[in-house]
Amino acid sequence: MCGIVGCIGNEKALNYLIGGLHRLEYRGYDSAGVVTIGKKGATLIRAKGKVAELEALTDKKPSLDTIGIGHTRWATHGEPSVINAHPHQAGDIYLVHNGIIENYKELKAELKNHKFVSQTDTEVLAALINSFYDAKTGLVDAVTQALQLVVGTYGIAVVSVRNPDEIVAARSGSPLIIGVGDNEIYVASDAAALIGYTTQAIYLNDGEIAVCSRDGVQLRDLSAQPISAKVETIDADMQAIQKQGYDHFLLKEICEQPRTLSSTLSGRVNVKENLVRLGGLNLSIEELSEIEHVTIIGCGTAYYAGLLGSYYLEQLVDDLTIDVVAASELRYRSFHLPKNTVALVISQSGETADTLACLREIKRRGVKTLGIINAVGSTIAREVDGGVYVHAGPEISVASTKAFTSQVSAITMFGIQLAQAKGMGKQDTTRFIKELAQLPNEIELVIKKQQSKIAKIAKKYAHYDHALYFGRDTLYPVALEGALKLKEISYIQAEGYAAGELKHGPIALVDDKFFEVALILDNWLFDKSLSTLCEVNARGGHVLVITNSKKAIEAEEIIRIDTSLDILAPVVINVVQQLFAYYVAVARGNDVDQPRNLAKSVTVE
Ligand code: F6R
C-alpha cells in the first residue's frame, strides 16, 4: 500500500519519479506527489487522483533537479486530497511515508511549533524529524532520533533543502528497496519500480536506515551503528510489467496462466518418476514425515487458495489435521498449535501486514513456517523458514488471478511431497501429479474455447446489483473466490456459499434482483448439486451454471468446460469465473485494473 520512489544521481530525477510512480500505482491511487531539490530550493507538486494527474502538472513545470522523492497514496488518515497528499513538508524537510504512525496523536500534542495543515499521521512524522533537525544535528541523525520515538509501521524517504545531496530512507514493517545503479541510487517500495534502471538492490530490513548519496549507500541501525549492506540481484524483466497488447493487465494475467503455472511446476513435478520435489522447504524426509498438523494462513484470494489447497491436502495425506484461517483473524485469536505443526503462509506480495504479523507470532512459538510466495525477496519470503516461490511473475492488476492458480498448485505439490514422505497413497499422488502436469494445457484450452462465449454471457448479467455464488466441496472455496473477484472489480454485491448452506438462509435472497452462479462438478456430488440448483430455479433464480459435466442441466445459462481433469477441474472452473468477472466489469465501464477503494499489497492493518 502506497508507493514510494526516490532517486539521486546525475539524471533528471523527475523522469524516474513519474515513471516509477506509474509502475507502483497499483499500491494506491488516491493522490500522488513529488518533490525535487535543486539550486533554487524545493519544487513540490501534488495532485489528487492518479499519477496521470500529477504527470500533467509536472509536464507544465519540468524540473532539471537530480534528486527527488515521490509517492502514490492509498489513504489511511485523512481523505484523498492535495493537502493530504505526500510529500509532506515541515521546515526544510520533505517526507514520503507508507505505513501508519500509531502514536501520532501523542506526538502531535508535543509538536507545538509546527502548524499542521493536513489530517495525516505522516505530517506528524515530518514535523517530528524537523524538531530534531538543526545546525548540530544533520538529516540522518534527526531521522534516527525521530524514529526512536515512533510506534507503528513505516517505509519512508526524506529529503531536505539544507542537505541537497542526500536521501534518507528507513523501514519498519513497510517494504523498501534501495536500487544501486551505475551513477544513480534509487529508492522504491517494490522492485517493479527498479526494472530497467538497475538489477542490483538492497532490501532494507526492519530498523534499518539508508543514507543515499551520489557516492553510494550507507546503512545504519536505529542506534546509529553502521551495518553492512547485502546487494542482491533482482530477477525480473520489462515484458513482465507491460500489458503486451492486452486491454488490461487483468486480462493479460488471466490469459498468461498456462505459462505462469508452467513456471510454478517447472523442475518440481516429475510425471515419469511420479515425484514432486520442492527445493526450498528446508525439511528432511524424516522431518516431513513427522508433520501432524498444517495451519494455513493468508488473506483474501490467498486465503481462498489456502482453503482449496486444504481440500487437496486432506485427500492426499491421511493422518493430518489441517486448519485454514484468515490471517487478519488469527492474529488476535488465542490460537493453539498442536505439536508437529507446520504453518503454510500464503501471499502473492509477501508483504501483507496481517499475514506477516501471524508469521512472526507463529515463529515466536517455535513452529516451522513455510511460505507460498510470489514476490521474490519480499519480507514474508525472507522471514519464513523455507518454502516455495510460485514464480507467477509480477501481478500488476489489483485483483489477484494468476497467483491463486499457482498458489493452489504449490499447496498441492506440498501435499504430494508430504504424502510421499509419509509413504502413503502412491495411487492418489499419481493422479494428482498427472493432473498437475496437465493443468496448464487445460487452462489454455478453456481460455481459447470459452473466452468469447464468457464475454457474451457476462454482458447479459452485467446489469445486476447482487449475485450469489455456490458450490460444494472443492467448489465451495472456488465460489468464495468467484464472488470476491466479481465484487472487487464490478462492484456487484456478490457472496459465495457452500451449496448445502443455501437452504439455511441465503435462498431467501433469490429474486429478480439477483443472479446466481452455480458451480457443479460431474462427480459423486453431482445429484446433490443438481437438487440445490433445482431449488433455486424453482424460486425464479437467474442461474449461470459453470460445469465440467455433459449431462442434462436446466439453467438460464450454462458454460460447459471440456476438460479431462477430475480433481483439479475446480482450478479450471475458477479461470472461467475470472474471465466472467473481468467481462462484467468491462461491460459496466469500470477501471478493472485499479478498482475503487482498493490497493495491492496491503501493508497496513
Ligand atoms: C483479491 C486480492 C486480495 C489479496 C489479499 C492478499 O483479488 O487481491 O484479496 O489476495 O490482499 O494479498 P497477498 O496475496 O499479497 O498477501
Side-chain angles (χ1 to χ4, degrees), residues 298-303 346-352 355 380 395 398-401 407 481 484-485 488 599-602:
C299 291
T301 289
Y303 166 56
I346 323 286
S347 177
Q348 186 286 125
S349 63
E351 301 291 351
T352 301
T355 313
I380 297 178
E395 207 181 52
V398 165
S400 187
T401 50
Q407 286 159 349
E481 170 58 11
L484 176 62
K485 217 69 336 164
E488 65 182 324
K600 208 157 181 82
S601 193
V602 185

Side-chain angles (χ1 to χ4, degrees), residues 414-480:
F414 170 72
I416 295 168
Q417 189 157 337
L418 194 56
Q420 292 188 335
K422 285 172 176 278
M424 59 184 55
K426 269 267 177 232
Q427 219 185 336
D428 267 349
T429 58
T430 310
R431 284 193 313 139
F432 272 95
I433 287 172
K434 275 196 181 142
E435 291 212 6
L436 269 179
Q438 277 171 269
L439 192 54
N441 272 346
E442 298 284 336
I443 291 174
E444 181 150 23
L445 270 181
V446 90
I447 294 172
K448 224 186 236 164
K449 283 192 183 165
Q450 303 283 2
Q451 192 170 347
S452 53
K453 179 174 181 182
I454 297 167
K456 217 154 124 202
I457 291 179
K459 272 196 193 141
K460 182 170 170 182
Y461 288 97
H463 69 280
Y464 283 95
D465 283 330
H466 311 279
L468 274 180
Y469 280 63
F470 55 91
R472 277 174 194 273
D473 193 55
T474 45
L475 288 178
Y476 166 49
V478 176
L480 293 172

Side-chain angles (χ1 to χ4, degrees), residues 331-515:
R331 67 181 293 189
Y332 297 115
R333 280 171 62 177
S334 22
F335 60 97
H336 305 284
L337 297 170
K339 77 172 177 31
N340 295 334
T341 292
V342 157
L344 287 189
V345 183
I346 323 286
S347 177
Q348 186 286 125
S349 63
E351 301 291 351
T352 301
D354 288 320
T355 313
L356 180 59
C358 287
L359 161 66
R360 288 179 176 162
E361 173 55 23
I362 290 170
K363 272 186 85 167
R364 194 189 62 77
R365 297 183 188 199
V367 169
K368 264 248 172 336
T369 55
L370 298 177
I372 309 270
I373 310 293
N374 190 32
V376 176
S378 56
T379 309
I380 297 178
R382 285 181 296 130
E383 293 197 16
V384 285
D385 299 307
V388 181
Y389 275 127
V390 298
H391 297 310
E395 207 181 52
I396 308 284
S397 192
V398 165
S400 187
T401 50
K402 59 179 180 172
F404 176 91
T405 302
S406 289
Q407 286 159 349
V408 173
S409 304
I411 300 168
T412 308
M413 286 192 278
F414 170 72
I416 295 168
Q417 189 157 337
L418 194 56
Q420 292 188 335
K422 285 172 176 278
M424 59 184 55
K426 269 267 177 232
Q427 219 185 336
D428 267 349
T429 58
T430 310
R431 284 193 313 139
F432 272 95
I433 287 172
K434 275 196 181 142
E435 291 212 6
L436 269 179
Q438 277 171 269
L439 192 54
N441 272 346
E442 298 284 336
I443 291 174
E444 181 150 23
L445 270 181
V446 90
I447 294 172
K448 224 186 236 164
K449 283 192 183 165
Q450 303 283 2
Q451 192 170 347
S452 53
K453 179 174 181 182
I454 297 167
K456 217 154 124 202
I457 291 179
K459 272 196 193 141
K460 182 170 170 182
Y461 288 97
H463 69 280
Y464 283 95
D465 283 330
H466 311 279
L468 274 180
Y469 280 63
F470 55 91
R472 277 174 194 273
D473 193 55
T474 45
L475 288 178
Y476 166 49
V478 176
L480 293 172
E481 170 58 11
L484 176 62
K485 217 69 336 164
L486 188 73
K487 77 176 93 170
E488 65 182 324
I489 58 172
S490 73
Y491 316 142
I492 293 175
Q493 181 230 343
E495 308 304 334
Y497 287 98
E501 286 294 301
L502 241 54
K503 283 204 282 278
H504 299 286
I507 203 164
L509 293 169
V510 173
D511 69 9
D512 276 343
K513 293 194 202 87
F514 269 77
F515 76 94

Side-chain angles (χ1 to χ4, degrees), residues 163-232:
N163 280 57
D165 298 312
E166 213 166 80
I167 300 176
V168 177
R171 97 158 247 177
S172 181
S174 303
L176 214 54
I177 310 175
I178 311 296
V180 184
D182 285 340
N183 296 303
E184 213 89 7
I185 301 292
Y186 306 93
V187 178
S189 26
D190 78 52
L194 299 180
I195 298 170
Y197 292 93
T198 179
T199 55
Q200 301 301 297
I202 301 163
Y203 290 85
L204 286 193
N205 293 308
D206 283 351
E208 289 183 353
I209 300 173
V211 184
C212 312
S213 69
R214 289 184 179 82
D215 299 329
V217 186
Q218 306 288 327
L219 293 195
R220 56 193 267 178
D221 63 19
L222 282 178
S223 50
Q225 293 307 307
I227 36 184
S228 56
K230 186 171 158 222
V231 181
E232 296 178 42

Side-chain angles (χ1 to χ4, degrees), residues 503-561:
K503 283 204 282 278
H504 299 286
I507 203 164
L509 293 169
V510 173
D511 69 9
D512 276 343
K513 293 194 202 87
F514 269 77
F515 76 94
E516 298 79 21
V517 178
L519 310 177
I520 299 179
L521 279 182
D522 194 358
N523 62 9
W524 79 104
L525 288 168
F526 180 77
D527 290 337
K528 290 200 184 298
S529 302
L530 226 50
S531 309
T532 313
L533 172 64
C534 286
E535 287 154 14
V536 176
N537 280 338
R539 283 155 185 84
H542 298 277
V543 188
L544 161 64
V545 168
I546 309 175
T547 182
N548 65 344
S549 174
K550 294 190 170 65
K551 293 178 189 153
I553 294 175
E554 266 188 43
E556 195 173 87
E557 287 290 347
I558 306 182
I559 299 172
R560 291 183 195 269
I561 59 160

Side-chain angles (χ1 to χ4, degrees), residues 101-142:
I101 308 300
E102 287 169 17
N103 59 339
Y104 78 103
K105 282 192 185 140
E106 294 90 307
L107 294 171
K108 193 173 181 177
E110 300 293 318
L111 294 162
K112 304 255 185 317
N113 290 334
H114 180 81
K115 194 167 171 305
F116 286 93
V117 291
S118 78
Q119 293 116 42
T120 64
D121 52 336
T122 301
E123 190 185 357
V124 175
L125 181 53
L128 184 65
I129 295 171
N130 191 47
S131 71
F132 291 109
Y133 189 36
D134 55 29
K136 276 192 254 129
T137 315
L139 184 61
V140 63
D141 289 326

